[in-house]
């Protein structure tokens, strides 16, 4: 969606994902974009390549979030914006019950590391960005909604993210689908559609 918006503004969009399947979807929707398979901690782009770098619910999937943010700064031109988006406050996200239900289906880490403070809390993202060599400029919260016409479309979209895929591999697709359906049942409207409002926390930094 963002790459399409960038294209309409007349800019040249680039994208990165670890999933070839999801990149095929993106290429079909935004054929003008240059899309590559890659890892956020080792971006396949030259230094100082971009006028802006964005990460929507992506940086925290990296094994080392600071390393991923450092890479974002490396490929951004000096002084260019690097925008980071993460989940907002759990109580203001309709997807929180689903995330908890799916999380319970994933395999437990036999050697869990230290618990990371919530990224939406003031100062947490700023500290990570600073450690990555970025210059935090401002932060803000934004509440938006996902809308799905029916349960079939909802389930298809909710089964796509990597974290859910891990739960499917561990517990089975039918179990994951049932958990998602049950968790989001309160958000089902009388006509069978769904509207899920979520708060997002943003940090604008400069390379």
């Amino acid at each position: 969606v963002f790459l399409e918006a960038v294209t309409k503004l007349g800019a040249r969009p680039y994208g990165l994902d670890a999933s070839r399947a999801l990149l095929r979807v993106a290429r079909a929707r935004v054929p003008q974009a240059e899309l590559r398979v890659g890892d956020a901690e080792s971006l396949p782009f030259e230094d100082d390549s971009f006028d802006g770098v964005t990460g929507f619910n992506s940086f925290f999937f990296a094994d080392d979030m600071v390393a991923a943010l450092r890479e974002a700064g490396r490929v951004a031109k000096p002084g260019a914006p690097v925008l980071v988006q993460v989940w907002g406050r759990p109580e203001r996200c309709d997807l929180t019950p689903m995330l908890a239900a799916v999380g319970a289906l994933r395999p437990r880490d036999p050697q869990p590391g230290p618990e990371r403070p919530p990224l939406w809390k003031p100062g947490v993202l700023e500290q990570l960005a600073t450690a990555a060599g970025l210059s935090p400029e401002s932060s803000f919260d934004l509440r938006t909604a996902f809308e799905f016409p029916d349960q079939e479309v909802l389930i298809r979209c909710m089964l796509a993210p990597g974290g859910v895929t891990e739960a499917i591999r561990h517990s089975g697709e039918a179990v994951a689908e049932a958990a998602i359906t049950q968790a989001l049942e309160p958000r089902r409207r009388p006509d069978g559609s769904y509207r899920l409002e979520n708060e997002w926390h943003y940090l604008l930094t400069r390379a």
Side-chain angles (χ1 to χ4, degrees), residues 1-80:
V1 172
F2 181 73
L3 294 178
E4 188 174 32
V6 167
T7 301
K8 289 178 179 179
L9 290 173
R12 184 178 179 186
Y14 289 72
L16 180 91
D17 202 287
S19 168
R20 295 182 185 277
L22 293 180
L23 283 173
R24 284 196 293 271
V25 174
R27 287 192 181 99
R29 293 179 177 175
V30 193
Q32 306 94 324
E34 182 171 331
L35 306 175
R36 301 184 187 181
V37 176
D39 188 323
E41 295 177 55
S42 182
L43 296 176
F45 303 109
E46 298 295 327
D47 295 356
D48 306 333
S49 293
F50 300 109
D51 297 302
V53 179
T54 58
F56 301 106
N57 268 22
S58 57
F59 287 117
F60 55 69
F61 283 113
D63 290 332
D64 185 338
M65 187 171 173
V66 171
L69 291 170
R70 187 179 296 115
E71 274 290 274
R74 178 185 67 79
V75 301
K77 294 177 181 178

Side-chain angles (χ1 to χ4, degrees), residues 2 29 52 67 120 153 175:
F2 181 73
R29 293 179 177 175
W120 53 266
V153 175
V175 173

